[in-house]
Protein backbone atom coordinates (compact mmCIF):
# COMPACT_ATOMS: atom_id res chain seq x y z
CA UNK A 1 0.00 0.00 0.00
CA UNK A 2 1.44 3.37 -0.99
CA UNK A 3 1.45 6.24 1.45
CA UNK A 4 -1.26 8.05 -0.54
CA UNK A 5 -3.61 5.04 -0.23
CA UNK A 6 -3.15 4.53 3.51
CA UNK A 7 -5.87 6.00 5.67
CA UNK A 8 -4.63 9.05 7.51
CA UNK A 9 -5.68 10.43 10.84
CA UNK A 10 -9.42 11.01 11.06
CA UNK A 11 -11.66 13.17 13.18
CA UNK A 12 -15.38 13.40 13.58
CA UNK A 13 -16.80 16.73 12.49
CA UNK A 14 -20.26 18.18 12.22
CA UNK A 15 -21.14 20.49 9.36
CA UNK A 16 -24.43 22.12 8.59
CA UNK A 17 -24.66 21.82 4.81
CA UNK A 18 -27.52 23.56 3.04
CA UNK A 19 -29.37 23.77 6.33
CA UNK A 20 -28.97 20.09 7.29
CA UNK A 21 -26.56 18.75 9.92
CA UNK A 22 -24.04 16.09 8.88
CA UNK A 23 -21.69 14.28 11.26
CA UNK A 24 -18.82 12.67 9.39
CA UNK A 25 -15.56 10.88 10.14
CA UNK A 26 -13.10 12.83 7.98
CA UNK A 27 -9.52 12.14 6.96
CA UNK A 28 -7.45 15.17 7.97
CA UNK A 29 -6.21 15.51 4.36
CA UNK A 30 -9.69 15.61 2.78
CA UNK A 31 -10.77 18.91 1.29
CA UNK A 32 -14.29 20.26 1.53
CA UNK A 33 -14.89 19.97 -2.23
CA UNK A 34 -14.26 16.21 -2.21
CA UNK A 35 -16.39 15.76 0.91
CA UNK A 36 -19.30 17.62 -0.71
CA UNK A 37 -19.08 15.81 -4.03
CA UNK A 38 -18.13 12.30 -2.92
CA UNK A 39 -19.60 11.93 0.56
CA UNK A 40 -22.70 14.12 0.37
CA UNK A 41 -23.44 13.75 -3.37
CA UNK A 42 -23.59 17.53 -3.83
CA UNK A 43 -22.01 17.77 -7.26
CA UNK A 44 -22.88 21.39 -8.11
CA UNK A 45 -19.48 22.65 -6.98
CA UNK A 46 -16.95 21.71 -9.62
CA UNK A 47 -13.32 20.69 -9.48
CA UNK A 48 -11.66 22.96 -12.01
CA UNK A 49 -8.01 23.65 -11.33
CA UNK A 50 -7.82 22.06 -7.83
CA UNK A 51 -5.47 24.93 -6.87
CA UNK A 52 -7.84 27.76 -5.90
CA UNK A 53 -7.23 29.63 -9.15
CA UNK A 54 -10.49 29.23 -11.12
CA UNK A 55 -13.34 29.58 -8.61
CA UNK A 56 -15.41 26.68 -9.99
CA UNK A 57 -15.52 25.19 -6.48
CA UNK A 58 -16.71 28.35 -4.70
CA UNK A 59 -19.16 27.77 -1.84
CA UNK A 60 -20.28 29.87 1.11
CA UNK A 61 -18.80 28.96 4.50
CA UNK A 62 -20.42 30.83 7.36
CA UNK A 63 -21.62 33.32 4.74
CA UNK A 64 -18.20 33.96 3.19
CA UNK A 65 -17.31 32.83 -0.31
CA UNK A 66 -14.38 30.45 -0.30
CA UNK A 67 -12.70 27.99 -2.64
CA UNK A 68 -13.69 24.57 -1.31
CA UNK A 69 -10.75 22.86 -3.04
CA UNK A 70 -8.39 24.62 -0.61
CA UNK A 71 -10.28 24.03 2.65
CA UNK A 72 -9.43 21.05 4.79
CA UNK A 73 -12.81 19.74 5.88
CA UNK A 74 -11.58 18.88 9.37
CA UNK A 75 -10.93 22.59 10.06
CA UNK A 76 -14.58 23.45 9.42
CA UNK A 77 -16.14 21.60 12.35
CA UNK A 78 -19.29 23.48 13.36
CA UNK A 79 -19.43 25.56 10.18
CA UNK A 80 -22.42 26.35 7.99
CA UNK A 81 -21.76 25.48 4.35
CA UNK A 82 -24.02 26.57 1.50
CA UNK A 83 -23.56 25.13 -1.97
CA UNK A 84 -25.36 26.13 -5.15
CA UNK A 85 -27.89 23.38 -4.40
CA UNK A 86 -28.80 25.08 -1.11
CA UNK A 87 -29.12 28.69 -2.24
CA UNK A 88 -32.86 28.50 -2.72
CA UNK A 89 -33.34 26.97 0.71
CA UNK A 90 -36.29 24.63 0.97
CA UNK A 91 -38.33 26.69 -1.48
CA UNK A 92 -39.18 25.55 -4.95
CA UNK A 93 -38.21 28.89 -6.44
CA UNK A 94 -34.57 29.38 -7.40
CA UNK A 95 -32.44 31.99 -5.66
CA UNK A 96 -32.76 35.39 -7.40
CA UNK A 97 -29.22 35.05 -8.79
CA UNK A 98 -29.98 31.57 -10.14
CA UNK A 99 -33.10 32.99 -11.82
CA UNK A 100 -31.13 35.95 -13.24
CA UNK A 101 -28.45 33.63 -14.65
CA UNK A 102 -31.18 31.67 -16.41
CA UNK A 103 -33.01 34.76 -17.63
CA UNK A 104 -29.80 36.36 -18.95
CA UNK A 105 -28.40 33.11 -20.35
CA UNK A 106 -25.29 33.90 -18.29
CA UNK A 107 -23.60 30.60 -19.02
CA UNK A 108 -22.57 28.53 -21.97
CA UNK A 109 -21.16 25.19 -20.94
CA UNK A 110 -22.28 25.84 -17.33
CA UNK A 111 -19.21 24.34 -15.66
CA UNK A 112 -18.27 27.54 -13.83
CA UNK A 113 -21.86 28.63 -13.18
CA UNK A 114 -22.30 27.17 -9.66
CA UNK A 115 -19.09 28.84 -8.49
CA UNK A 116 -20.02 32.08 -10.26
CA UNK A 117 -23.42 32.15 -8.55
CA UNK A 118 -22.05 31.34 -5.07
CA UNK A 119 -19.35 33.95 -5.55
CA UNK A 120 -21.94 36.54 -6.60
CA UNK A 121 -24.05 35.80 -3.51
CA UNK A 122 -21.00 36.27 -1.30
CA UNK A 123 -19.95 39.39 -3.20
CA UNK A 124 -23.35 41.02 -2.68
CA UNK A 125 -23.06 40.42 1.07
CA UNK A 126 -19.51 41.82 1.15
CA UNK A 127 -20.55 44.99 -0.68
CA UNK A 128 -23.62 45.42 1.55
CA UNK A 129 -21.36 45.11 4.62
CA UNK A 130 -19.14 47.89 3.26
CA UNK A 131 -16.08 45.85 2.35
CA UNK A 132 -14.17 47.77 -0.34
CA UNK A 133 -12.60 46.23 -3.42
CA UNK A 134 -9.56 47.28 -5.44
CA UNK A 135 -11.74 49.61 -7.54
CA UNK A 136 -13.83 51.12 -4.73
CA UNK A 137 -13.43 54.90 -4.55
CA UNK A 138 -10.96 55.57 -1.71
CA UNK A 139 -13.09 58.56 -0.72
CA UNK A 140 -16.12 56.32 -0.10
CA UNK A 141 -17.16 56.28 3.57
CA UNK A 142 -15.77 53.24 5.35
CA UNK A 143 -18.21 50.61 6.58
CA UNK A 144 -21.11 51.79 4.44
CA UNK A 145 -22.59 49.66 1.63
CA UNK A 146 -20.52 49.88 -1.53
CA UNK A 147 -22.54 50.76 -4.64
CA UNK A 148 -22.09 48.07 -7.26
CA UNK A 149 -21.46 49.43 -10.73
CA UNK A 150 -20.08 47.31 -13.59
CA UNK A 151 -16.46 47.93 -12.57
CA UNK A 152 -17.15 46.82 -8.97
CA UNK A 153 -19.00 43.71 -10.12
CA UNK A 154 -16.24 42.73 -12.55
CA UNK A 155 -13.51 43.28 -9.96
CA UNK A 156 -15.33 41.41 -7.22
CA UNK A 157 -16.03 38.42 -9.47
CA UNK A 158 -12.56 38.39 -11.04
CA UNK A 159 -11.55 35.29 -9.07
CA UNK A 160 -14.06 33.19 -10.99
CA UNK A 161 -12.95 32.19 -14.45
CA UNK A 162 -15.25 31.31 -17.35
CA UNK A 163 -13.57 29.52 -20.22
CA UNK A 164 -16.56 30.21 -22.48
CA UNK A 165 -16.40 33.98 -21.96
CA UNK A 166 -19.92 34.54 -20.62
CA UNK A 167 -18.70 37.50 -18.52
CA UNK A 168 -20.96 40.21 -20.02
CA UNK A 169 -24.07 38.15 -19.28
CA UNK A 170 -22.84 37.30 -15.80
CA UNK A 171 -22.42 40.99 -14.99
CA UNK A 172 -25.89 41.70 -16.43
CA UNK A 173 -27.41 38.94 -14.27
CA UNK A 174 -25.85 40.43 -11.13
CA UNK A 175 -27.06 43.90 -12.17
CA UNK A 176 -30.59 42.52 -12.54
CA UNK A 177 -30.54 41.32 -8.95
CA UNK A 178 -29.20 44.54 -7.43
CA UNK A 179 -31.57 46.85 -9.28
Amino acid sequence: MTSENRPGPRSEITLRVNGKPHTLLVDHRRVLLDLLREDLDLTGSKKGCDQGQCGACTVLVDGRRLNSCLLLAVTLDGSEVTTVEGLAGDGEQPHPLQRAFLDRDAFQCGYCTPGQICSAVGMLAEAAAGHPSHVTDPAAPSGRPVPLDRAEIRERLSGNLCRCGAYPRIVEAVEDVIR
Side-chain angles (χ1 to χ4, degrees), residues 3-179:
S3 63
E4 61 212 30
N5 292 334
R6 275 191 296 236
R10 297 174 184 267
S11 293
E12 186 175 278
I13 65 168
T14 301
L15 297 175
R16 192 162 184 79
V17 181
N18 297 333
K20 297 180 182 135
H22 296 274
T23 300
L24 305 145
L25 187 60
V26 178
D27 185 307
H28 290 190
R29 300 167 295 180
R30 190 158 186 80
V31 294
L32 178 60
L33 177 61
D34 293 338
L35 182 142
L36 292 171
R37 292 182 58 79
E38 297 167 14
D39 299 345
L40 300 180
D41 201 29
L42 295 168
T43 58
S45 303
K46 303 297 187 230
K47 186 177 281 197
C49 66
D50 210 17
Q51 298 176 8
Q53 300 287 319
C54 72
C57 67
T58 304
V59 298
L60 302 170
V61 177
D62 296 328
R64 294 181 52 223
R65 57 186 171 147
L66 297 171
N67 293 328
S68 62
C69 74
L70 297 179
L71 299 172
L72 292 173
V74 73
T75 66
L76 301 172
D77 188 28
S79 294
E80 175 81 31
V81 178
T82 305
T83 68
V84 71
E85 294 95 339
L87 286 178
D90 289 332
E92 293 185 24
Q93 296 299 316
H95 185 280
L97 273 164
Q98 291 170 315
R99 175 83 285 174
F101 267 64
L102 289 169
D103 291 346
R104 283 290 184 170
D105 199 22
F107 52 89
Q108 288 180 32
C109 80
Y111 197 81
C112 72
T113 305
Q116 295 274 4
I117 292 172
C118 284
S119 187
V121 169
M123 177 265 303
L124 292 175
E126 290 165 10
H131 300 292
S133 79
H134 179 69
V135 299
T136 303
D137 181 355
S142 181
R144 294 219 178 111
V146 176
L148 292 172
D149 59 15
R150 284 183 166 239
E152 279 284 348
I153 294 167
R154 280 191 209 106
E155 171 63 25
R156 289 170 183 272
L157 294 180
S158 65
N160 289 79
L161 303 179
C162 174
R163 291 177 178 96
C164 300
Y167 299 115
R169 299 284 179 132
I170 292 168
V171 172
E172 291 168 0
V174 173
E175 286 177 323
D176 288 349
V177 171
I178 61 175
R179 301 216 189 308

